[in-house]
Amino acid sequence: MDFREFYEVATGNSPYPYQEEIAREGLPDILEVQTGAGKTNAVVLPWLYRKLFHPSELIRKTTQRWLVMCVPLRSLTDQTVLSVSDCIKKLSSAGYLKADEVSVLRAMGGNDNKEDQFQWKMNPERPTIIVGTLDMLLSRALNRGYVMSRFQWSIDFGLFNNGVHWIFDEIQLMGAGLTTSLQLQAFRDEFGTISPSKSTWMSATIDDDLRTVDNVTDKVKISLSEEDRENESLRNRIEGKKTISELTVSKNKCELEVGKNILEKHVNGTVTIGVFNTVKRAQNIYKQLKKQLRKYPKLNDIELILIHSRFRQKDRQSKMESILKDITEGSAGRIVISTQVIEAGIDISCRTLFTEISPWSSLVQRCGRCNRYGTDQDAKVFWFDGGSSSNGPYSTEDNNKCKEKLTDLDGETLSPSEMCAIKVDSAKKYYPTLRKSDLIGLFDTVSDLGGNDVDISQFIRDTENLNVFLGWRDFTQVPDDSMQPLNSFELCPVACNSNLKKFVVAQNGFSFNQKDGGWVKAYERDIYPGKVVLLRSKVGKYSKLTGYNNDIGFEPSLKNEVESFYVNSLSPGFNESEESISSDSASITGKVVELQTHLNDTKKKAEELTSVMLDGDENSNYRQAVILGCSLHDIGKAHDTFQEGLKKVANNGSDGYGDSNSEKLLAKSGGVGRIRYSKKYFRHELASALMLLGDAGVLLKDITEKQLTIYLIASHHGRIRVGIRSGPDEIDTVLGVSESDTIRSFDLNNLTVPECTLSLSSIKLGFDDDSRSSWSHLALNLRDRKDLGIFRLSFLEALVRISDWKASSIVHDDTILEDK
């Protein structure tokens, strides 16, 4: 079918001319169209059409498998997901899409390995639309995924940089992230990827040519044409008028007077929106309105809603649903008090808008929420100067330039087109620029000798917008080991500053320790952007404040009990986000599986996955390395330390499997609980790699990519990459492996794995007496190969890990040990 038919089925409306152009020509580098002109549908539906329905097989094949929608504000993710999901449902109901043919997901941090949040990793070949915020998505693209296990960083790094089309929406709000997004695209082009990745930057207001030191290419730009402007439906939106007027308030009574004006100027049966520059001001205005409402009996059934960035996801979603629903006929209507979270991308319209001064580009976006559909005949925007103390993320210079322009326009009636045509200079901001050496340095996810990681926050957001994520649960002194890490819907983002750090320490907060496992008391030095902190949901001996309620969000002085959303939603085999260095929850699957069976399963899954993800002759050597790596990845589980630890869990479990004297080699246990190794930090994948670097290397004698295969085996749990670090208190072992450990010979299908005596010499720097290079030399050689590089290498790692996950999820009913 043609794109027009496709679009009408998905939306119930006809496409605008510029949307049809994108479907014909492909997604542009830059999309600049006015607010309300359908930017989201202009990228999502043309991408989906070209991927699945375009008459050209070449275009279907070369269109990126994932569309990643990167937005600057969390509030935008909810509506974007709802809007896109609605289109997918309509296409499915009409029979154009099969069930689960296209996935629409939020990229969220936290301990969310439920099937619906894990499927994009389990099925990377499936066309998928992923929606997330700047910090959640860019941190993944930089190999330092916020609010997720460090041991999964490299998977996301590989998947988000290969065969993906990135959409960066509302770029005027991206700050440092805009520069980083441009640099990342330049580096993907330079270093090479398994399949091409592209980017589109879009906004109603794009002020520069989007060039950086490494991204200097000319960019294809699409904006509204004369044909678009003549379209009646679109013309109503871009020509919707509103009168711009100053609201004069005194600085010392600003919040009181603004609140009074909101109530007096609200028109019954309509929506009024107030947009303020800081969370604190929005909260104060909201409190003022609640106090003053009793003086306005005509507003007795008014809906009053506060929305900002300092809410937990579940609370924020509930508020967004209330904001977007239709006004009840005959009611007083609705007043929405907000921060920047509502200024862009939210498909909402109001009759009356109140806003603090802000940079001109932001003010244009805010005004885009007023008479958005062009149907109000008397829409009004009131602006006021709240003083420099409430500038929030904006500079006084930019705000003053906007104020000068607004003063000149006072009393005029303007449309979005007219406002976008007005140019107001803003101060040039200079952000730290991600350079090639920075990105290469981020490839290794093993912390340095001091246990520290490279801080990527400077490349993602302005300093004042960097967040820590707080969650509340009911516990007293110390959380016990059975308490899982926090889920994304429990988390509340809060600006990472000295006041927040003091609050966390004063309330005896905790963070999850991924070195040793379990919860540890959080000190100021432990609190940094992207960190997750656990707080008590009730005040008591150990905590005097909770700092949160569902109505106004995070506010440090609050003492009320916080509702707990904690639900253990994890399934066996998919618990890696909770792991410490030595934990291995993927080996506790609730069913005994022999080693040979699991290796066969993993090889089969790798063959299926690589036939799609690594097709073509140019990828044949990579495909061979992934498949062989999967068939040998767990041979180190033959080590006595692993077998004894696994069988001990099985013996203590409810099914009684796992005789410690059995000669059977196990890969998975039928027991429950954590594996406790006799050597604390034991890692079977290190044993696997050392076997193949030594006596078991004969198994790789006929393959082209021997070093790549060994690397993929060693890195398949994310603990070993360029570097190999001993556990914190290891002396005579490295990750539980000792010099001269012996692993007995065993049969593996039609192969015999020879007896292996392990040597730790490769972990040392330089070369050993036999001129064998160190592990770091091997890994760096792969990382720096021009035909491989950081993006391809991480993608291959991801394929091995995913194949392993898929194999671990297989239920074997007939794998009961004979000597049960």
Side-chain angles (χ1 to χ4, degrees):
M1 60 177 170
D2 64 20
F3 178 70
R4 176 170 286 271
E5 176 189 349
F6 170 81
Y7 190 97
E8 289 173 350
V9 170
T11 67
N13 300 306
S14 297
Y16 300 136
Y18 85 93
Q19 294 171 329
E20 293 186 276
E21 179 185 356
I22 293 173
R24 288 193 306 270
E25 305 298 330
L27 273 63
D29 301 313
I30 299 174
L31 178 60
E32 184 177 26
V33 296
Q34 281 85 351
T35 58
K39 292 195 303 296
T40 299
N41 284 344
V43 291
V44 172
L45 294 178
W47 168 81
L48 185 58
Y49 174 77
R50 292 172 68 85
K51 183 63 183 174
L52 297 179
F53 297 97
H54 198 281
S56 167
E57 181 181 358
L58 178 63
I59 288 179
R60 294 197 304 272
K61 183 176 181 179
T62 55
T63 297
Q64 283 67 30
R65 71 184 190 282
W66 286 359
L67 189 74
V68 176
M69 301 284 292
C70 185
V71 297
L73 305 170
R74 283 169 186 80
S75 57
L76 302 187
T77 64
D78 300 328
Q79 183 165 338
T80 302
V81 168
L82 288 172
S83 173
V84 173
S85 297
D86 185 59
C87 291
I88 299 299
K89 288 177 183 177
K90 288 177 180 176
L91 289 165
S92 298
S93 298
Y96 292 101
L97 292 176
K98 301 174 185 176
D100 300 325
E101 186 174 2
V102 177
S103 300
V104 182
L105 300 169
R106 289 180 181 86
M108 299 186 294
N111 202 32
D112 280 331
N113 290 338
K114 298 176 292 184
E115 184 177 352
D116 61 335
Q117 284 301 316
F118 209 60
Q119 61 176 300
W120 63 271
K121 292 183 184 180
M122 287 290 279
N123 301 284
E125 74 285 359
R126 179 185 298 172
T128 300
I129 301 164
I130 300 174
V131 184
T133 55
L134 195 65
D135 47 0
M136 289 296 176
L137 290 173
L138 271 189
S139 63
R140 284 163 164 76
L142 291 173
N143 212 14
R144 290 297 184 277
Y146 280 177
V147 201
M148 64 181 294
S149 167
R150 68 183 304 115
F151 308 127
Q152 290 195 37
W153 286 347
S154 59
I155 302 176
D156 291 53
F157 181 67
L159 295 178
F160 277 104
N161 284 302
N162 289 270
V164 175
H165 197 120
W166 283 79
I167 304 294
F168 295 99
D169 195 9
E170 308 298 354
I171 62 174
Q172 78 282 355
L173 299 175
M174 285 178 59
L178 175 58
T179 300
T180 300
S181 69
L182 289 158
Q183 287 291 95
L184 274 171
Q185 184 59 50
F187 295 144
R188 293 185 198 108
D189 294 339
E190 179 178 349
F191 293 146
T193 53
I194 291 291
S195 51
S197 287
K198 296 182 179 180
S199 296
T200 296
W201 295 269
M202 62 186 196
S203 176
T205 51
I206 298 178
D207 296 329
D208 54 41
D209 61 359
L210 300 186
R211 293 172 186 261
T212 59
V213 62
D214 292 292
N215 192 328
V216 296
T217 59
D218 293 331
K219 295 176 175 60
V220 175
K221 179 179 178 179
I222 287 182
S223 54
L224 297 185
S225 64
E226 286 304 315
E227 186 180 1
D228 287 301
R229 297 178 189 279
E230 293 171 0
N231 181 283
E232 182 178 358
S233 174
L234 184 53
R235 185 173 65 244
N236 288 339
R237 285 177 170 252
I238 63 178
E239 298 300 334
K241 300 285 188 176
K242 67 271 299 181
T243 303
I244 314 294
S245 303
E246 181 179 5
L247 181 68
T248 304
V249 296
S250 56
K251 295 294 191 295
N252 59 339
K253 294 183 179 180
C254 174
E255 292 162 358
L256 175 67
E257 294 176 5
V258 170
K260 182 179 179 180
N261 273 277
I262 288 175
L263 294 175
E264 290 179 348
K265 290 179 169 57
H266 172 76
V267 178
N268 271 21
T270 70
V271 176
T272 294
I273 295 176
V275 186
F276 306 98
N277 293 344
T278 66
V279 171
K280 187 65 176 176
R281 170 143 289 175
Q283 289 173 329
N284 288 344
I285 296 285
Y286 177 74
K287 293 174 185 177
Q288 281 290 339
L289 289 173
K290 293 188 79 171
K291 288 180 182 179
Q292 295 179 30
L293 265 175
R294 64 179 181 270
K295 301 177 182 179
Y296 296 83
K298 68 173 185 176
L299 302 178
N300 62 342
D301 65 342
I302 192 80
E303 290 182 72
L304 180 59
I305 302 171
L306 172 66
I307 183 76
H308 53 71
S309 60
R310 307 313 185 206
F311 281 104
R312 294 181 297 184
Q313 177 193 322
K314 187 172 181 179
D315 296 326
R316 186 185 70 247
Q317 284 181 305
S318 176
K319 287 175 175 288
M320 286 302 301
E321 289 170 4
S322 297
I323 289 170
L324 295 172
K325 70 182 181 181
D326 293 335
I327 296 291
T328 303
E329 187 175 352
S331 72
R334 182 179 302 136
I335 296 175
V336 178
I337 301 303
S338 175
T339 57
Q340 299 91 333
V341 300
I342 209 169
E343 84 175 36
I346 303 298
D347 193 9
I348 184 175
S349 183
C350 66
R351 170 80 172 268
T352 311
L353 177 77
F354 290 82
T355 175
E356 285 189 270
I357 57 170
S358 66
W360 180 254
S361 60
S362 290
L363 190 120
V364 170
Q365 295 284 354
R366 295 178 185 187
C367 290
R369 307 312 111 186
C370 185
N371 195 17
R372 183 172 176 83
Y373 312 128
T375 56
D376 288 316
Q377 300 305 311
D378 192 25
K380 290 181 170 59
V381 173
F382 297 96
W383 62 270
F384 68 95
D385 183 355
S388 59
S389 61
S390 66
N391 278 350
Y394 310 125
S395 71
T396 300
E397 180 182 359
D398 284 349
N399 281 2
N400 286 340
K401 287 181 178 180
C402 179
K403 182 178 179 179
E404 290 176 10
K405 178 55 66 175
L406 287 170
T407 301
D408 293 340
L409 297 172
D410 195 50
E412 292 197 23
T413 300
L414 300 172
S415 68
S417 292
E418 291 168 330
M419 295 192 74
C420 286
I422 296 171
K423 300 301 180 183
V424 177
D425 292 336
S426 59
K428 182 68 175 178
K429 290 187 177 181
Y430 296 94
Y431 299 104
T433 299
L434 179 78
R435 301 307 303 267
K436 192 182 305 183
S437 58
D438 297 317
L439 187 60
I440 292 173
L442 289 167
F443 176 79
D444 192 14
T445 55
V446 177
S447 58
D448 64 22
L449 293 174
N452 302 308
D453 291 306
V454 177
D455 181 13
I456 63 165
S457 58
Q458 61 181 326
F459 302 128
I460 294 181
R461 288 188 185 271
D462 298 349
T463 304
E464 61 267 27
N465 292 326
L466 298 171
N467 291 321
V468 170
F469 297 85
L470 307 182
W472 290 262
R473 286 184 184 167
D474 186 10
F475 63 97
T476 53
Q477 186 173 1
V478 178
D480 60 36
D481 289 343
S482 65
M483 185 180 289
Q484 302 284 1
L486 291 148
N487 295 294
S488 66
F489 53 82
E490 299 178 90
L491 299 177
C492 175
V494 179
C496 182
N497 54 38
S498 59
N499 290 333
L500 185 277
K501 293 179 180 182
K502 289 182 173 64
F503 173 81
V504 168
V505 173
Q507 307 317 315
N508 292 298
F510 288 82
S511 61
F512 192 78
N513 182 358
Q514 290 191 329
K515 288 184 178 179
D516 298 318
W519 297 91
V520 295
K521 181 174 172 54
Y523 296 94
E524 288 193 31
R525 65 176 179 274
D526 305 315
I527 303 168
Y528 48 82
K531 190 69 173 177
V532 175
V533 175
L534 174 65
L535 298 171
R536 294 173 178 82
S537 60
K538 299 177 183 177
V539 297
K541 178 179 179 181
Y542 302 102
S543 179
K544 304 302 180 185
L545 302 168
T546 57
Y548 187 90
N549 74 34
N550 299 354
D551 189 34
I552 67 171
F554 177 75
E555 209 289 303
S557 65
L558 293 171
K559 299 180 180 180
N560 56 276
E561 180 178 344
V562 182
E563 180 185 1
S564 177
F565 296 149
Y566 173 50
V567 176
N568 185 354
S569 58
L570 300 180
S571 303
F574 297 96
N575 299 6
E576 292 205 356
S577 63
E578 64 163 309
E579 291 193 328
S580 59
I581 292 176
S582 60
S583 59
D584 189 5
S585 61
S587 293
I588 310 296
T589 59
K591 202 73 174 177
V592 171
V593 180
E594 293 184 26
L595 178 58
Q596 179 171 301
T597 300
H598 176 62
L599 292 176
N600 289 343
D601 289 341
T602 310
K603 179 183 178 183
K604 181 179 179 180
K605 292 299 180 183
E607 289 171 339
E608 295 171 354
L609 188 59
T610 58
S611 67
V612 178
M613 306 298 283
L614 294 175
D615 62 337
D617 293 340
E618 70 276 12
N619 293 323
S620 59
N621 288 340
Y622 300 151
R623 188 165 186 256
Q624 181 189 42
V626 169
I627 293 171
L628 186 56
C630 285
S631 69
L632 298 173
H633 73 289
D634 275 352
I635 59 174
K637 287 186 174 182
H639 196 292
D640 288 343
T641 299
F642 180 86
Q643 291 297 311
E644 290 167 1
L646 192 70
K647 290 173 181 177
K648 183 178 179 181
V649 173
N651 278 329
N652 291 338
S654 59
D655 57 13
Y657 295 140
D659 184 348
S660 59
N661 296 317
S662 170
E663 293 299 312
K664 298 282 187 179
L665 293 176
L666 303 185
K668 311 289 182 181
S669 169
V672 294
R674 294 179 180 271
I675 304 176
R676 307 290 183 182
Y677 296 115
S678 58
K679 297 179 180 178
K680 185 175 179 181
Y681 298 105
F682 179 78
R683 295 305 315 173
H684 64 269
E685 64 270 28
L686 175 58
S688 298
L690 293 178
M691 290 171 70
L692 292 168
L693 285 169
D695 301 314
V698 294
L699 303 176
L700 305 177
K701 63 180 181 180
D702 295 325
I703 74 161
T704 304
E705 292 282 4
K706 178 178 178 180
Q707 288 189 337
L708 175 59
T709 302
I710 296 174
Y711 175 84
L712 295 176
I713 288 171
S715 64
H716 84 269
H717 279 294
R719 273 71 169 178
I720 299 168
R721 300 190 77 241
V722 172
I724 299 177
R725 294 278 186 274
S726 300
D729 52 1
E730 284 192 295
I731 298 176
D732 298 323
T733 60
V734 177
L735 297 181
V737 177
S738 302
E739 180 70 27
S740 301
D741 277 356
T742 300
I743 299 177
R744 58 189 169 90
S745 174
F746 60 95
D747 292 331
L748 186 63
N749 296 324
N750 58 348
L751 297 173
T752 297
V753 179
E755 180 177 299
C756 297
T757 300
L758 304 185
S759 170
L760 298 178
S761 61
S762 61
I763 297 175
K764 301 174 183 177
L765 297 177
F767 293 78
D768 66 12
D769 294 338
D770 296 323
S771 295
R772 291 184 295 187
S773 63
S774 68
W775 174 260
S776 291
H777 184 270
L778 178 153
L780 290 172
N781 178 58
L782 295 171
R783 185 199 71 179
D784 297 337
R785 271 174 45 181
K786 290 186 177 181
D787 64 331
L788 197 56
I790 58 175
F791 296 125
R792 294 188 186 96
L793 186 53
S794 289
F795 186 74
L796 300 179
E797 290 181 63
L799 296 185
V800 172
R801 189 95 69 98
I802 292 167
S803 300
D804 189 17
W805 284 338
K806 285 176 172 284
S808 296
S809 68
I810 296 174
V811 176
H812 289 280
D813 295 328
D814 301 319
T815 55
I816 299 174
L817 292 180
E818 295 174 2
D819 54 348
K820 174 182 173 182

